[in-house]
């Protein structure tokens, strides 16, 4: 029952987020994508996935007598995420994303260091190129502003 309650709460969050996203403009006057473009896609995907999770949890309830021994890891990843948000404007989006990805992957997968390094570089660089270069959005520069005149 606890899983279904969590899934239901997450569905409520996803619905609220999606409603906010659909309040943002999809396109701006110049014809470029607006601030609501990606949030609408993400919100819709969150609603679909969380709705599926709620239905699955109701149909196939888990044994609630078992307790998770992963609360320490959940807490650590939460702290890492808060640190990432705090350091985003100081370090800049690219540097902060690389560090966030590497530290999080290290916590969750200590055996796969090569994959951790590759993912923590490729994914943030890809996101940076997508948003900053291709879509011409403004990402926090942080310390990178010191090196770009």
């Amino acid at each position: 029952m606890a899983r279904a309650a969590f899934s239901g709460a997450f569905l409520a969050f996803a619905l609220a987020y999606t409603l906010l996203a659909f309040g943002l403009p999809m396109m701006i006057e110049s014809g470029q994508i607006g601030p609501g473009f990606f949030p609408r896609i993400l919100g819709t995907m969150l609603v679909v996935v969380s709705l599926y999770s709620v239905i699955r949890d109701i149909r196939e309830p888990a044994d609630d007598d078992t307790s998770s021994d992963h609360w320490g890891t959940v807490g650590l990843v939460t702290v890492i995420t808060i640190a990432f948000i705090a350091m985003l404007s100081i370090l800049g989006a690219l540097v902060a994303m690389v560090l966030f990805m590497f530290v999080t992957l290290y916590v969750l997968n200590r055996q796969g260091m090569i994959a951790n390094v590759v993912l923590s570089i490729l994914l943030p660089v890809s996101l940076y190129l997508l948003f900053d270069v291709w879509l011409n959005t403004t990402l926090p520069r942080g310390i990178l502003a010191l090196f770009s005149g």
Side-chain angles (χ1 to χ4, degrees):
M1 189 65 182
R3 276 179 45 175
F6 176 81
S7 296
F10 192 82
L11 175 60
F13 164 78
L15 285 168
Y17 173 84
T18 305
L19 286 173
L20 287 172
F22 274 87
L24 298 171
M26 183 84 155
M27 304 292 277
I28 58 175
E29 291 178 17
S30 66
Q32 294 178 322
I33 62 173
F37 185 80
F38 285 112
R40 286 181 185 190
I41 294 169
L42 180 62
T44 302
M45 290 185 340
L46 281 172
V47 168
V48 169
V49 169
S50 57
L51 183 60
Y52 168 77
S53 181
V54 167
I55 292 168
R56 187 196 67 214
D57 289 343
I58 290 172
R59 285 187 181 167
E60 304 167 13
D63 182 13
D64 285 341
D65 292 335
T66 61
S67 64
S68 175
D69 58 348
H70 300 289
W71 288 110
T73 304
V74 170
L76 183 56
V77 171
T78 301
V79 169
I80 294 167
T81 303
I82 292 168
F84 164 68
I85 294 168
M87 299 306 290
L88 197 57
S89 61
I90 296 167
L91 296 176
L94 183 58
V95 175
M97 284 190 292
V98 168
L99 289 173
F100 171 74
M101 286 286 299
F102 180 76
V103 172
T104 303
L105 287 171
Y106 178 76
V107 167
L108 299 175
N109 180 28
R110 294 191 180 168
Q111 290 76 32
M113 288 305 292
I114 293 172
N116 292 351
V117 170
V118 169
L119 283 173
S120 62
I121 292 172
L122 286 181
L123 186 62
V125 168
S126 299
L127 289 172
Y128 179 81
L129 291 173
L130 171 70
F131 286 103
D132 197 65
V133 176
W134 185 48
L135 296 174
N136 200 25
T137 59
T138 304
L139 296 175
R141 294 266 182 237
I143 60 172
L144 290 180
L146 299 174
F147 301 107
S148 62

